[in-house]
Every structure is written in C-alpha cells, then in structure tokens.
Amino acid sequence: DQIFAEHRQNDVPLLLGSNSDEGSNFPTMKTLLSFRDDARQTLGPFADEFLRVYAANDDAQAAKASAAAVRDMRISWPNLQWAKAQARTGQSKLFFYYFQHSPPTPPEDPYVENLGKDLGSYHGAEIAYVFGNFVPHEWALNQEDRDFARALSRYWGNSATTGDPTVAG
C-alpha cells in the first residue's frame, strides 16, 4: 500500500485476476462446527458478520462457504485491491480477468488434491490453458478446451510481449 501511495510501484502493464473457485483446492473447514468455531476464534467480534456473508447450515454448505472465504480473502480480494491501486496511481494499462472455466479434472484423479471433490475453476486452473500444458494427459480434453487454450495462450503471450493481451479478431 505504501509503495502505491508513494507512486513507487513498477508502473508497467499489468495482467492479473482470479478464478471463480480459487479456494476449492486449498484446505478448508470440513464441518459446520469447525467452520463456525474457526470464524469465532479467528475473527472475534467480526465473526457474526462473516458467518452471515458466508452462510452455512450443514457440513456440505460449510465446506463450500469455507472455500469461498479462502477464495475471497487469500486471492480475489488482494488481487482486486492490487488492480485498484494500480488503476488509481499508475499510468500503464491494466487488464483484470475472472476465470470461470472448469478443466475436465476427474474427481478421482490422484494428481489433484481433495480427491472426490468437484474443484471447478480452482486456483491455477487457467495455467494449463495459458501454456497449453495439460498434465496429466489422460484428462478428457475436448476441442473446446484446446481452442480455448490456444486463444488464452495468445492473449497472455501478447500481454507479455506488447503489454496488451488484445489480439486481432
């Protein structure tokens, strides 16, 4: 915050964002009781407000609310604040994305944490598309995934070489 307030950030074109299910592959609270207890212990007087925003009435809802809180607090909110600081004080172009595509990750795949869980557009899900590097190769990628990867790779590559992800067409 201080660096931006003093306009000492590296004022270069910036591409950043987050994914819709950032918290799905991070450790989360598994039960309603642990979710509520953790909120009260961690957030003290703000716990009730937090539990209204991230409402849950059973273990399954608590696990989803816990993942959403991880997404918002650890990834999405900080990236949004970074983008706002750059927009407020910088002169260079700023590009912000919100990635919602879910790769075809089989829930039983041992390559992925949280086995048996639908991870959605988890933290880092966009990276395989950006670099066209789908590991493991057994995932059921369709033509739409491959086309999307080519397009996303072009956007990010253009951003790295020109400072602007925009491509012709």
Side-chain angles (χ1 to χ4, degrees):
D1 291 340
Q2 184 176 347
I3 288 170
F4 280 95
E6 296 171 358
H7 301 268
R8 292 187 303 119
Q9 79 272 20
N10 289 328
D11 192 4
V12 296
L14 183 60
L15 171 67
L16 74 152
S18 62
N19 298 357
S20 60
D21 301 299
E22 288 281 2
S24 68
N25 61 340
F26 286 91
T28 57
M29 298 293 124
K30 304 292 185 225
T31 67
L32 180 60
L33 181 61
S34 66
F35 179 61
R36 289 179 175 167
D37 286 349
D38 183 69
R40 294 193 194 298
Q41 183 178 24
T42 305
L43 302 170
F46 303 103
D48 287 338
E49 184 175 349
F50 172 86
L51 291 168
R52 274 192 298 279
V53 172
Y54 298 97
N57 294 309
D58 59 35
D59 291 348
Q61 290 175 357
K64 286 185 178 189
S66 177
V70 168
R71 173 199 64 215
D72 295 344
M73 291 189 292
R74 293 189 183 165
I75 310 289
S76 297
W77 180 256
N79 278 355
L80 181 59
Q81 296 314 302
W82 180 8
K84 285 181 175 183
Q86 175 61 22
R88 196 172 41 251
T89 64
Q91 301 300 312
S92 296
K93 289 184 177 182
L94 168 66
F95 301 91
F96 193 84
Y97 68 87
Y98 187 68
F99 190 83
Q100 294 179 283
H101 185 76
S102 299
T105 311
E108 70 283 354
D109 196 311
Y111 179 76
V112 179
E113 293 179 33
N114 301 318
L115 300 178
K117 188 175 174 185
D118 177 12
L119 298 176
S121 184
Y122 57 89
H123 179 70
E126 77 278 30
I127 301 304
Y129 290 89
V130 169
F131 294 105
N133 184 15
F134 297 97
V135 177
H137 300 287
E138 297 81 26
W139 290 5
L141 299 168
N142 58 32
Q143 192 58 45
E144 182 181 339
D145 286 304
R146 294 182 201 308
D147 292 344
F148 182 52
R150 275 191 287 284
L152 199 57
S153 183
R154 285 178 48 215
Y155 297 145
W156 280 49
N158 215 44
S159 181
T161 57
T162 71
D164 187 329
T166 307
V167 295

